[in-house]
Amino acid sequence: MTGMSLGDASRHVTSENPVFELKMALVRGTEYRVFKNIPPHARALVHASREAHADGAAEYLVFRDERWTYDAFLNEINMLSAVLEEDLGVRKGGRIALATRNCPEMLILMMAIASLGAVTVFLNAWWTTEELDFALRDSDAKIVFADAERIKRLTPLAVDLKLVMIGLRDGEALTPLKYSTLRDSAGHARTSEVDIDTDDDFAIMYSSGTTGHPKGVVLTHRGAMNAVFTWLMQAAMAPLIDPPPPDAAEAPRPSVLIVTPLFHVTATHPMFLLSLPAGAKLTLMDKWDAHEAARIIDREGITRFMGVPTQSADLVAASRDLCLSLDTLDFLGSGGAKRPAAQVVELAQAFPQANIATGWGMTETNANGIGMAGADYLARPGSAGRLYPPLQDLKFLDDTGSEVSVGEIGELTVKSPCNMRCYLNNPEATAEVLSDGWLRTGDLGYIDDEGYVTIVDRKKNIIIRGGENIACLDVEGALHRHPAVAEACAFSVPHTRLGETVGAAVQMRAGSTLTVQEMQDYLSDHIARFKIPEHIWIQAAPLPRSATDKIDRRALRAICLSKLNDLEGSS
């Protein structure tokens, strides 16, 4: 049986399946294609998805030795919603921060907060006190749920920022207010009746940009819901594009393993939120351990795994060490960073039953974007895939804002209802990237005549270390804090496992001396550990400059990498 084209499958599903019926909607002055019949907001999504989980009876959430049915999970959301409103005074539009490693309470709180029309502020669990201070001031979040390590970093800020800190798990020993006590005091569970508009704010997630501080990406309910149903529609289209054989066994219930941090959009959206309407079981890890992940996949029958490329490579090695086939896996995706082309074949050989997949998306797009899997990906391992239908539009622009031709390199620019509302408190940065619904992504690439997109470079000075976005100016700002530093420039250094790591060149002030270790120790108080340069080149001479008298980052990087290669070659 011959399969449909991507376009034909999209047209068939949107015309035949009422769930994916389209309409036009005016959003903040711009018209978009949107799904007509999907839940309008997160509270409606979590309740409407109960039927997909055996009317609430199916096992839904697994964390270590703890297990919840869907109804038990929904009950927890309703109880916490009541506690937030009645005991903590949370109201529509209020901002509540989460600062913790992955744990079930993050998911429960995220949905309880959303159920009240309030806004979850996701704080990066690796941030220092300094970085947490900026985000809390920027978001004006006063209530913070945190685990022990984050409470220690937040404590110096508590009085000045008037924080109400509520301990989660090991954090309960450090705070007067405890999650378990609040939960037990609820006494009852009830569904919130607060009126929520689909264009109300849903979450704030911080994303590194070209400025020294991270930018708060404001996401709406409409954006998140339309992204979720875009991915759900790809699953509905798949058998039309690649029809299964007539005697194919019924597919098992989807079972998802979350291994990336829930303060990133990859974990919250195409993993957690999608699991709700997809009827998928969810298993959560709080920290990456490849051998433990392999054992969980084997034990829980995991079908869907998505992580940064290094985690996929680690999983291959772990499965071999443990002699586990992991043959329940049918989807092995990559998010956060581009997978090396050589890894695509290796994964296909290690897990022949799985569709090896890749994708491109941003916090600013609610993770919606581009992707492909299986034979398409094996044939084009350097590509990011094709635009997910049916809501998005795409074009590539030159520096003047004019559209370039097929095959020519330009800045990837996308339009969809999934795009962010704005950067929080930053209208200038918002105006730089958003215009008439179009989002300029900062990624450079091209599209071929079959619609496949290849990303070739980043217009922004961003380093992607194992899926973590690191702004060069963020690192440089921390380096410049040291009184001995006259100039500093950060750049990416290739890394076989992480893809990229951070490098920096530093010019010292006259008469100053400093070792690499001393600089790294100093930085540990100012930026998160993953941002600290692994390689630092220290020199007395000025850093090279371009014709416009700016530091020539590209030339400097080439010089430093040449020195590194010479050093490694002689060792």
Side-chain angles (χ1 to χ4, degrees), residues 57-119:
E59 183 174 78
Y60 172 62
L61 180 59
V62 178
F63 179 68
R64 299 176 184 167
D65 60 352
E66 303 168 30
R67 293 175 182 267
W68 287 263
T69 63
Y70 192 83
D71 270 350
F73 177 70
L74 190 56
N75 190 60
E76 291 284 325
I77 292 169
N78 290 337
M79 281 198 292
L80 262 295
S81 177
V83 167
L84 290 170
E85 187 172 34
E86 296 170 10
D87 295 0
L88 298 176
V90 174
R91 296 293 180 263
K92 181 177 178 179
R95 294 171 182 165
I96 313 299
L98 306 182
T100 175
R101 282 184 177 272
N102 286 1
C103 61
E105 289 83 355
M106 281 192 80
L107 305 180
I108 293 163
L109 284 165
M110 176 181 170
M111 302 310 283
I113 292 165
S115 293
L116 295 172
V119 182

Side-chain angles (χ1 to χ4, degrees), residues 308 337 463-470 498-502 529-532 534:
V308 297
I463 299 163
I464 301 182
R465 179 191 183 276
E468 284 293 328
N469 285 2
I470 302 168
L498 297 171
E500 293 177 340
T501 189
V502 184
R529 188 169 61 250
F530 70 91
K531 299 179 184 178
I532 295 173
E534 185 173 319

Side-chain angles (χ1 to χ4, degrees), residues 148 151 167-178:
I151 288 169
L168 293 173
R169 298 203 167 234
D170 60 355
E172 292 197 353
L174 304 179
T175 55
L177 286 174
K178 309 175 192 306

Side-chain angles (χ1 to χ4, degrees), residues 57 74 97 99 103 129 141 265 281 289 350 362 420 464 513 538 541:
L74 190 56
C103 61
T129 297
V265 73
K281 174 183 166 184
D289 179 318
M362 302 173 69
M420 68 174 183
I464 301 182
T513 58
I538 298 175

Side-chain angles (χ1 to χ4, degrees), residues 35 53 69 127 144 174 201 215 228 251 262 342 388 396 401 539 557:
F35 290 118
H53 296 266
T69 63
W127 278 344
V144 186
L174 304 179
D201 293 345
K215 295 194 287 286
V228 167
L262 283 165
Y388 292 133
F396 287 86
Q539 62 187 61
R557 178 178 183 271

